[in-house]
Amino acid sequence: MDGRQHRLFILAVSLVPLLGVAVAMVLLWNRAFGVSDVVSLVVMYAIGGIGISTGFHRMLSHRSFKSGRAVQDVLAVAGTIAGQGPAIIWAAHHRRHHRVADRDGDPHSPYAGGEGSRRAILKGLWHAHLGWLFDEELTSDPVRYCPDLVRDRHLRWISEHFVGIVVAGLAAPALIGFAVSGGEPMAALTGFVWGGLVRLFLLSHFTYAVNSLGHFHGRRRFSTPDESRNIGWLAVPSFGDSWHNNHHAFPRAAGHGMRWYEIDPSAWLIKGLAALGLVWDVIEIDKDRQDQRAAGLARIGGGRHARNEPPVPLAEMPRRGRRPAADAADIE
Ligand SMILES: [Zn+2]
Ligand SMILES: [Zn+2]
């Protein structure tokens, strides 16, 4: 799949679910909506969401834990059905984001359009949310950003068969609805709408909200050279990825929620898999290290009550030189 096909596909998976949401509203209005549709939506959302958060993000992009072949393949396929791009491309964009977050070269910073006016803010948020996916110029070379993933034969196969896996993920709830209802065509349609299109729509926007709002609005606990923020209300739908300031402070940590009240379903899943012996070498950050880092922000006037707007205009922030291309050991 070349860059143009990739963008066309992303355009399709952004627009078609909108139609699905419209159909879903008509079905709701007519009360053509059953328990099986709710189950279909929740189960398919959970599979895609865990695939993105635990699979694409923590496992592939950051190597926060190790696993066997089967667990890696299952998580990578689960992430693929979310329709957010092939696994290796997703990880390449994401590693690049961490390397230059909110500075030149960040694929999806909400500050890319400049700062100041309301128009610039909205333009920046749109770019960080969805607009960046349609940027003709934007490519993150997987060989440069994730040579370790490119070398993996299974991940290459899953990435190359991206479209087929997304389509299978849309067909599955329709087929299951059809089978469970004993052959009702309407059940196939509502399964497709709720478990396929509405699920795709909701998961995309909750994931992309971490990129846009997660660098714009919310609290900061740690001093990081970017504008990452923690957003509590996004924690459940993003499976814990919205503790985004914690994550930028400690990118390789498997857990993003760092307090008992910071809900982090992906971290619970990783712990469960570790207890079963299915994953290992789970990266954890001890409390002392977290506290030391948080104290740094408290001294400069941040902490949990930091203002929502960037404390220092980005234009005045020290710019660090670009770092050379990463090798496999330089995963952030
Ligand atoms: Zn970020
Ligand atoms: Zn990350």
Side-chain angles (χ1 to χ4, degrees):
M1 179 182 270
D2 64 20
R4 202 179 114 79
Q5 286 170 326
H6 181 230
R7 267 187 299 279
L8 278 174
F9 191 81
I10 294 288
L11 186 65
V13 294
S14 310
L15 294 181
V16 176
L18 269 180
L19 290 175
V21 170
V23 174
M25 287 163 113
V26 173
L27 290 171
L28 263 183
W29 187 259
N30 293 318
R31 298 172 191 257
F33 179 72
V35 176
S36 63
D37 298 319
V38 182
V39 172
S40 174
L41 173 62
V42 171
V43 170
M44 291 304 292
Y45 187 97
I47 293 172
I50 286 168
I52 288 291
S53 168
T54 310
F56 278 22
H57 192 198
R58 305 188 196 196
M59 176 182 72
L60 296 181
S61 302
H62 295 290
R63 292 296 198 199
S64 300
F65 57 89
K66 290 188 182 139
S67 73
R69 182 58 77 193
V71 168
Q72 179 177 291
D73 289 349
V74 167
L75 286 172
V77 169
T80 304
I81 70 154
Q84 296 175 13
I88 294 175
I89 304 282
W90 197 104
H93 282 315
H94 191 73
R95 287 187 189 175
R96 179 173 164 186
H97 164 65
H98 275 269
R99 209 171 298 168
V100 290
D102 291 325
R103 289 177 284 135
D104 283 349
D106 182 349
H108 46 64
S109 171
Y111 305 97
E115 286 173 66
S117 69
R118 186 171 295 180
R119 192 163 175 271
I121 291 170
L122 285 175
K123 205 174 142 205
L125 283 172
W126 164 252
H127 169 80
H129 194 73
L130 210 59
W132 68 280
L133 290 163
F134 306 113
D135 183 349
E136 296 272 331
E137 315 274 283
L138 183 70
T139 47
S140 300
D141 181 6
V143 176
R144 175 179 174 187
Y145 291 100
C146 36
D148 52 322
L149 307 185
V150 174
R151 277 195 293 272
D152 188 307
R153 201 163 44 86
H154 288 220
L155 289 175
R156 278 205 312 274
W157 190 93
I158 292 167
S159 287
E160 281 160 15
H161 294 83
F162 165 66
V163 176
I165 295 169
V166 174
V167 171
L170 290 169
L175 292 174
I176 293 170
F178 189 71
V180 169
S181 67
E184 282 281 335
M186 191 62 184
L189 173 71
T190 61
F192 172 68
V193 167
W194 291 99
L197 299 181
V198 176
R199 174 265 303 175
L200 206 53
F201 176 84
L202 292 176
L203 182 56
S204 297
H205 287 287
F206 280 124
T207 306
Y208 297 143
V210 174
N211 293 340
S212 54
L213 297 178
H215 278 257
F216 186 76
H217 172 83
R219 287 175 167 170
R220 281 165 69 75
R221 176 177 299 134
F222 299 104
S223 174
T224 56
D226 49 66
E227 290 304 322
S228 54
R229 312 261 150 179
N230 290 334
I231 307 181
W233 62 267
L234 253 180
V236 171
S238 69
F239 291 85
D241 281 15
S242 70
W243 305 112
H244 202 58
N245 176 243
N246 296 352
H247 173 54
H248 271 271
F250 302 103
R252 291 206 66 194
H256 293 187
M258 292 185 167
R259 296 283 189 275
W260 65 266
Y261 52 84
E262 292 180 350
I263 295 170
D264 188 353
S266 266
W268 303 338
L269 175 67
I270 295 165
K271 272 199 183 128
L273 292 172
L276 294 171
L278 292 169
V279 308
W280 53 90
D281 291 350
V282 177
I283 296 177
E284 288 175 28
I285 308 294
D286 62 53
K287 183 84 172 57
D288 283 351
R289 233 180 109 197
Q290 291 178 31
D291 290 346
Q292 278 170 8
R293 189 85 192 253
L297 188 56
R299 271 199 301 278
I300 61 168
R304 288 184 54 209
H305 301 289
R307 285 167 296 144
N308 287 338
E309 65 270 22
V312 180
L314 289 173
E316 292 169 24
M317 286 178 74
R319 296 186 95 79
R320 296 189 308 185
R322 291 274 180 86
R323 281 196 271 152
D327 55 35
D330 185 26
I331 298 163
E332 298 179 329

